[in-house]
Amino acid sequence: MTEPREVAPQARDLAGLDAAVSHCYACPRLVEWREEVGRVRRRSFADQAYWARAVPGFGPADASLLLVGLAPAAHGGNRTGRMFTGDRSGDVLVAALHELGLASQPTSTSSDDGLRLHGVRFTAPVHCAPPDNKPTTAERDTCRPWLVRELDLLRPTVRAVVALGAFGWQAVLPVLAGAGWTVPRPRPAFGHGARVLLEPVADGPALTLFGCYHVSQQNTFTGRLTPAMLRDVLAEAWQAAGGEPTRRHQG
């Protein structure tokens, strides 16, 4: 079976990388789960054909802001084939981006709904839906080369990264180091609103890493993460990426 560490470095652009990700079968447990979910389906989606494959990143190839989550939701991205699409997490995140002028519409329901992101890209350290939303350390590490290559390809334009949740934060730090940025020692701790400037190892741009509570229902339904809290982090990150978050982009 072909491993991501062999395939990912060969991707010449993000379109090629996304196509390669969608054909990944490297983790047997994740493949079995994503396909089982696609066969059994949730009752409310029983008439829909599930994507049930690895879910690539989504957003423009010249994004200056990268949002890193955890993994696709079983009945969200695993169903629709697009990150942060078809579930409550996507609803909250895209609504916040739209209010900041960084998304063309406030909803993210399906891969053909017309959503466009402006200067922002979604990705995750694990590209397959895991059982109980808990990928193993080995699965995270197997998937890591996809994210390393994604950062390599985004390097000319990306200036800020938002890690959504502690898992994303811990997963992205070694990725950033592998993609050419200096990570402080000891490694910075995750926290909502955390901000760390990472200098390049060689010639190139610096990058600012932000921490934000994940947009999961357990955070948004309990008020641990409010829409205002999310918008504040995204606005600060967009400014660090060189944008103007108060200016509306035209859809």
Side-chain angles (χ1 to χ4, degrees):
M1 182 179 296
T2 304
E3 295 288 332
R5 67 174 181 270
E6 300 170 359
V7 178
Q10 300 176 27
R12 296 185 177 182
D13 53 31
L14 280 174
L17 183 72
D18 291 345
V21 166
S22 69
H23 291 91
C24 185
Y25 290 83
C27 298
R29 187 183 79 111
L30 298 186
V31 171
E32 181 180 2
W33 173 251
R34 76 194 191 193
E35 293 181 352
E36 179 183 346
V37 170
R39 286 192 302 270
V40 177
R41 306 177 190 176
R42 180 173 285 173
R43 181 179 300 177
S44 54
F45 305 127
D47 62 340
Q48 297 185 21
Y50 274 52
W51 171 259
R53 293 157 60 185
V55 181
F58 172 68
D62 60 351
S64 55
L65 174 59
L66 182 67
L67 306 185
V68 180
L70 191 161
H75 301 282
N78 187 56
R79 172 173 60 88
T80 64
R82 194 174 74 190
M83 289 281 182
F84 289 110
T85 301
D87 60 13
R88 295 292 180 89
S89 295
D91 291 343
V92 172
L93 181 57
V94 172
L97 290 170
H98 182 257
E99 288 194 39
L100 296 173
L102 303 178
S104 62
Q105 60 193 47
T107 58
S108 179
T109 58
S110 66
S111 61
D112 59 356
D113 62 6
L115 173 66
R116 287 181 292 127
L117 302 179
H118 305 301
V120 179
R121 183 172 169 87
F122 297 154
T123 193
V126 176
H127 285 276
C128 292
D132 300 319
N133 290 322
K134 294 179 180 179
T136 66
T137 300
E139 289 161 351
R140 178 201 65 192
D141 293 347
T142 297
C143 209
R144 180 176 294 163
W146 298 125
L147 188 52
V148 171
R149 185 57 179 154
E150 194 165 10
L151 263 298
D152 284 340
L153 293 168
L154 286 169
R155 190 176 175 85
T157 59
V158 70
R159 299 295 179 267
V161 172
V162 175
L164 296 166
F167 184 95
W169 178 274
Q170 293 162 3
V172 81
L173 284 171
V175 170
L176 291 168
W181 283 275
T182 301
V183 175
R185 292 181 178 274
R187 286 183 177 177
F190 171 76
H192 182 79
R195 176 172 180 160
V196 181
L197 179 65
L198 306 179
E199 297 292 345
V201 173
D203 291 341
L207 182 145
T208 307
L209 173 65
F210 292 83
C212 178
Y213 291 142
H214 196 280
V215 287
S216 64
Q217 291 186 48
Q218 65 189 40
N219 287 334
T220 58
F221 281 13
T222 61
R224 188 184 191 209
L225 178 66
T226 66
M229 290 168 63
L230 176 60
R231 287 195 304 270
D232 286 347
V233 173
L234 293 176
E236 187 178 357
W238 180 242
Q239 287 180 315
E244 301 178 9
T246 59
R247 184 184 67 202
R248 295 291 302 180
H249 292 244
Q250 299 301 313

